[in-house]
Amino acid sequence: MTRFTRRQALTLLGGSAVAAACAGQTPGPVSPEGVAGTDAFVPLHELAQAKGLRFGTAMSAGQLDDLRYLEIVRRECGVLVAENAHKLYTILPQPDAWNFAPGDALADFAQDNGLGMRGHTLIWSHPRWLPDWLNETEFATAGEAEAFLDSYIGRVAGRYSPFIYSWDAINEAVDPATGELRETPFTRAMGPEAIDYAFFAAKEAAPGATLAYNDYMSWEGGHETHRTGVLRLLERLISNGAPIDALGIQSHSNEDMPNEYTPEKQRAWRAFVDEVVGMGLDIYLTEFDVNDTDLGPDIEMRDRLIASYTRDYLDLMLSYPQTKELLAWGMVDKHSWLQGFMPREDDVEKRPTLYDSNYQAKPMREAVAAALRAAPDRA
Ligand code: 9MR
């Protein structure tokens, strides 16, 4: 018997209302459009697809046990990315101790449910997020470092090829304080060429996948040096002929609150994005969420500011036809990494994602839907 994926089956059955009905989700407290199970409900991945975009989320392997969360992911998302399971510290915590179990579990879930998958990340070029054994490694020659990159990237990107259609080949190589490259065991042995080399190795292992440089420079105040450093790195990669397709703009707003997205900051940010697309690169919004550490505790007020910022930020970013991906960094507040980062003084739960901790859609979800509906078509 032919085995259809759930997504294929829903398409055959005829569209979004059926998708919502099959998802069997209890209604949320937002406008009818955002309420799963109503005729007006259209999944975000369908709204995105209609404009030539992909919509999805990050997920950890542990969250595969949260069935209500899985309903939301299946219903809303077309793409999954592993929050931590495809990082080097997970896959190779000790030399020769390969651990693909969590990454495979997430890839299996994506495949079984008709979702695409992005890979995050082949090399996180930041010593804090490399395992100790690797930070302590001194490659004797550039050739030794190259051999490691060939073997690690070849094994990881090769394992998921062609299923993973896009990789963050390198994550966070630029030091925001100086704009220079961070030092890693690879740059110590190879110099800046280590970054280029990772792109070439990824292309060889996963020739069909698009490759991005991913980083957290943003519109926030104080990010000017970071943005300049990233532009310099992109220019270098391109002039060296590295196979880079896109800049991954993580889209966390960590320190500036959503109501600090001023016209002046937007102008500076737009100038940066203009330069990136001017280099011929696509834009992927890879880790979208909104931090509310410094907003007052009132839920209605926080949700309103977060939704309004979401709409404004996405309107700007989706106005670029080069923006091809929109991935949320988690879809339910209680699972967000931000609950542990810059904790709120009043200790109330943060509201950084599209659904609250009772799995109900929030105004932020409607803001994403509205921005996708308003976005211009792209190829
Ligand atoms: O959300 C991730 C968190 O669970 C991990 O502890 C942390 C360290 O691996 O990484 C977080 O994700 C980061 C992503 O990989 C890169 N951009 C910043 C994200 C938030 O810190």
Side-chain angles (χ1 to χ4, degrees):
M1 198 177 92
T2 311
R3 183 172 170 269
F4 289 111
T5 63
R6 184 178 166 281
R7 175 73 32 81
Q8 285 165 329
L10 292 175
T11 307
L12 287 176
L13 284 168
S16 54
V18 179
C22 291
Q25 193 65 17
T26 45
V30 287
S31 71
E33 188 175 283
V35 177
T38 65
D39 285 347
F41 179 82
V42 183
L44 294 173
H45 77 89
E46 283 188 15
L47 293 175
Q49 199 180 24
K51 297 296 170 73
L53 282 148
R54 295 193 186 85
F55 177 82
T57 187
M59 216 174 110
S60 76
Q63 289 156 12
L64 289 167
D65 294 334
D66 181 345
L67 299 183
R68 297 193 70 189
Y69 190 37
L70 298 190
E71 277 184 23
I72 291 176
V73 173
R74 288 195 189 98
R75 188 175 69 215
E76 296 276 37
C77 297
V79 176
L80 200 69
V81 60
E83 186 167 353
N84 297 309
H86 288 146
K87 293 173 179 172
L88 195 153
Y89 71 70
T90 303
I91 291 181
L92 202 54
Q94 296 295 332
D96 295 325
W98 294 84
N99 170 33
F100 283 109
D104 285 358
L106 287 165
D108 287 348
F109 171 80
Q111 202 150 29
D112 290 349
N113 289 280
L115 307 179
M117 189 160 211
R118 287 203 77 241
H120 172 80
T121 170
L122 290 171
I123 300 293
W124 193 339
S125 200
H126 187 326
R128 177 164 180 210
W129 302 112
L130 290 173
D132 290 347
W133 71 266
L134 190 52
N135 277 323
E136 286 156 15
T137 299
E138 291 297 339
F139 295 108
T141 61
E144 269 190 21
E146 289 173 14
F148 177 89
L149 290 173
D150 280 335
S151 130
Y152 179 79
I153 292 176
R155 188 152 171 190
V156 176
R159 182 181 187 86
Y160 297 107
S161 177
F163 180 60
I164 289 190
Y165 67 88
S166 175
W167 273 101
D168 293 332
I170 293 279
N171 189 48
E172 298 174 11
V174 174
D175 181 342
T178 62
E180 302 298 326
L181 288 185
R182 297 181 206 269
E183 188 183 288
T184 67
F186 309 111
T187 62
R188 276 201 298 277
M190 300 171 68
E193 303 295 320
I195 308 296
D196 314 34
Y197 197 89
F199 277 86
F200 286 110
K203 196 70 197 168
E204 196 167 319
T210 64
L211 300 179
Y213 172 70
N214 193 52
D215 210 330
Y216 57 85
M217 69 285 125
S218 81
W219 53 266
E220 293 171 88
H223 281 223
E224 298 79 7
T225 306
H226 198 179
R227 294 198 292 257
T228 305
V230 168
L231 289 177
R232 220 180 301 137
L233 173 61
L234 296 176
E235 276 160 8
R236 228 184 61 87
L237 284 165
I238 289 167
S239 72
N240 289 346
I244 176 169
D245 299 284
L247 173 65
I249 296 177
Q250 294 182 5
S251 306
H252 303 288
S253 46
N254 283 339
E255 276 148 29
D256 284 7
M257 292 299 108
N259 52 350
E260 294 172 310
Y261 183 55
T262 60
E264 196 189 338
K265 286 178 187 161
Q266 290 177 40
R267 265 195 300 281
W269 177 241
R270 195 186 278 277
F272 168 79
V273 182
D274 285 345
E275 290 217 40
V276 175
V277 299
M279 294 180 202
L281 295 174
D282 278 343
I283 300 286
Y284 302 159
L285 307 178
T286 49
E287 306 182 14
F288 181 61
D289 56 20
V290 183
N291 191 14
D292 63 2
T293 296
D294 291 331
L295 299 182
D298 181 71
I299 288 179
E300 190 276 330
M301 178 274 293
R302 277 191 286 155
D303 281 359
R304 184 167 36 78
L305 289 177
I306 288 170
S308 148
Y309 161 74
T310 295
R311 180 70 203 268
D312 290 348
Y313 178 72
L314 292 183
D315 277 353
L316 191 158
M317 296 313 297
L318 300 183
S319 75
Y320 289 89
Q322 292 87 351
T323 301
K324 302 281 174 56
E325 308 260 345
L326 169 56
L327 272 70
W329 206 242
M331 288 288 283
V332 168
D333 288 340
K334 68 178 171 188
H335 291 317
S336 169
W337 74 287
L338 282 166
Q339 301 300 353
F341 176 81
M342 289 176 67
R344 293 178 57 94
E345 272 176 15
D346 58 15
D347 249 15
V348 304
E349 190 181 60
K350 292 190 190 177
R351 300 181 64 81
T353 74
L354 283 63
Y355 280 75
D356 69 18
S357 294
N358 294 316
Y359 308 91
Q360 303 299 307
K362 295 176 358 193
M364 185 181 176
R365 191 259 174 214
E366 283 317 288
V368 173
L372 288 170
R373 284 183 199 280
D377 276 332
R378 60 217 64 216

